[in-house]
Amino acid sequence: MKKEISLLGLLLTTGVAFGQYAGDAFRYSEIQQTGTARFRSLGGNHAALGGDASTTFGNPAGLGFYNRSEFSISPSLSITNTESNYLGNQTPSVSKTNPNIGHFGLVLAGNSQNENRRWRRTALGVTYSRQVNLHNSFSYQGRNNNSSIADAFAADATQQGYSSAYLDSQFNQSSREANFLTAAAYQLYLFNPTLRANPNDDGAPYSRYDVGYPNADFPTVRRDNAFDQRETFTSSGAHNQWTFSYAGNYDDKLYIGASLGLTRLRYEYNTIYRENAVGGNIIGEINRNEDLSVTGSGINFSLGAIWKADDKLQLGASVTSPTFTSVRETFNQSLSTDIIGVPRIENGNPVLFVPDDQNISVLPNDFEYDLTSPLRAMAGATYFLGEKKVGFLTATAEYVGYAGMRVRTNVYNSQDNLDFRNDVKAEVQNTYNNVVNFRAGAEFRFGLLRVRGGVAYNPNPYKQTFDALARSDRDKLIYSAGLGVRNDRFFADLAGSFVNFKSAQQPYTVQNGPSALITNQQTNAMLTLGVLF
């Protein structure tokens, strides 16, 4: 029964809920850079290069270049620094460090076939890779002279057309839990209904409780007009993939490969919002806590080909199906207040009332759904330098169909399931564009030494500006560089990459509501160690 009530609350706040799931689909699908240290230092180019374990999930045809087996492991260190500006107040940098295994690979090369046959050799690859890093941390604070989070609760209750009787019915007196957050806010006296001639017909429109003061009954009670607001956010997790690939080499000209990807999603976040009324004499403080825990498993497929046009030029292309992921999440919320005194009339006399309940939890929401990530397709070229191939230049264009992301569920009845799917689809298509990412890289060889550099451009996938950011501010430019050494039996590669981009966070939603502008700096260092056998 708890789950059904919690899902009812989800349906009743469809604007927020559907926007959330469209955003979740994007969060788990935004791949910035993947692979071994070698491929990362080249800008993440996968389309037209072979002989690297990264090709299992990039372009699996690249396995066809192997003539010896290989084992490699790639420890990685990710560092995220964020700075925030909220209502003109700059918050100092917040840093989060995450050591992890970014890549692990085993490639088993088949024996060379009879040279009189057109199919020369095959290879099997098994790799583990971190596709999306979900670790982050930021905080922001500032003084808001225009709105309070209580305004957001009042606006939601008004928009949904809730009666006060209905909001009361969504609070369980015995367990002291509400079915959704707006109902909790109502029980905590954060907003008030418009009283009508019929006392049984009171309800929307709603307003913050301190509207209308001072008045004749409460001449010393004033409306709060300034609020010190602060929010902290911390997340962890990753979207990882085990990939099983097989490739063949036809006449040392055409390389064809296919792969099966098995993904694992884990994501957790905690956000704490605090609001203090400056000199408040009704509600001194409002606190909102949220915790989300997500796990999921998925599957995808890839096909690829690389063609040696001549001794210096290679052309490659691959397509990766959407990842079909089954997701389970648990969402917890709570709301608390520090009530100084709520004005009310008792027995004809004005009094300042302090309620017993100043901390209310929302029923946990356990929800299951299926997520479809974007279709991906890439094409690229590699050009080798000099007669002795002293290096190469490589470039890739990658199509990502963000507008094709989908979220479905089977937990409701058939009509509600259809409504949920269609509403999320509309939210995705109204929010995201399909994009083409561009990557370029170069490698120069000096005996055993390799020197590499690369750049990747990921354009803004959002259709419109809906917060403090302009469209151009959402573009991402990722710089990378690295060194490597390689002999007949051993190789070691070191890579570093850096991206600086902006994002926005809204603590609550009201018309012309506040947004925090967050500057993100992400640095990744990876070391790949491998042996050939």
Side-chain angles (χ1 to χ4, degrees), residues 233-250:
F233 175 92
T234 302
S235 67
S236 62
H239 202 173
N240 301 317
Q241 178 169 310
W242 282 95
T243 309
F244 303 86
S245 299
Y246 186 77
N249 167 355
Y250 184 77

Side-chain angles (χ1 to χ4, degrees), residues 12 100 229 293 342 420:
L12 291 171
N100 59 82
Q229 299 172 335
S293 177
V342 177
F420 179 87

Side-chain angles (χ1 to χ4, degrees), residues 210-223 281:
D210 60 0
V211 172
Y213 298 99
N215 59 26
D217 293 318
F218 299 94
T220 62
V221 174
R222 66 182 182 277
R223 179 181 182 181
N281 58 1

Side-chain angles (χ1 to χ4, degrees), residues 171-208:
F171 176 67
N172 188 315
Q173 292 286 347
S174 59
S175 66
R176 322 306 291 173
E177 293 177 308
N179 290 343
F180 54 98
L181 200 62
T182 299
Y186 185 68
Q187 294 299 317
L188 292 172
Y189 294 85
L190 295 186
F191 62 92
N192 199 34
T194 300
L195 298 179
R196 301 174 184 171
N198 181 353
N200 296 320
D201 191 33
D202 58 313
Y206 293 87
S207 60
R208 223 169 60 206

Side-chain angles (χ1 to χ4, degrees), residues 26 71 153 240 299 472 513:
F26 177 74
F71 170 80
F153 293 127
N240 301 317
I299 188 170
S472 60

Side-chain angles (χ1 to χ4, degrees), residues 15-138:
V16 175
F18 296 153
Q20 170 199 329
Y21 288 107
D24 287 348
F26 177 74
R27 178 191 298 115
Y28 307 143
S29 303
E30 189 189 20
I31 300 174
Q32 293 187 175
Q33 196 178 66
T34 60
T36 61
R38 179 189 177 213
F39 268 35
R40 285 176 180 259
S41 62
L42 291 169
N45 280 276
H46 292 270
L49 276 175
D52 190 280
S54 301
T55 61
T56 55
F57 52 84
N59 184 345
L63 286 179
F65 287 81
Y66 274 91
N67 53 29
R68 287 191 297 170
S69 300
E70 172 188 303
F71 170 80
S72 64
I73 188 169
S74 304
S76 177
L77 180 67
S78 300
I79 303 172
T80 301
N81 290 286
T82 58
E83 295 182 352
S84 305
N85 187 297
Y86 183 63
L87 301 171
N89 184 66
Q90 191 75 22
T91 301
S93 176
V94 176
S95 180
K96 186 175 178 64
T97 302
N98 173 233
N100 59 82
I101 299 298
H103 189 270
F104 160 91
L106 175 65
V107 178
L108 300 176
N111 294 327
S112 297
Q113 303 294 328
N114 189 322
E115 291 188 3
N116 294 324
R117 298 182 59 180
R118 307 299 296 271
W119 285 102
R120 299 295 175 83
R121 68 178 67 86
T122 60
L124 173 69
V126 180
T127 61
Y128 163 88
S129 62
R130 173 165 288 207
Q131 299 287 296
V132 182
N133 184 6
L134 297 171
H135 286 255
N136 198 8
S137 182
F138 61 80

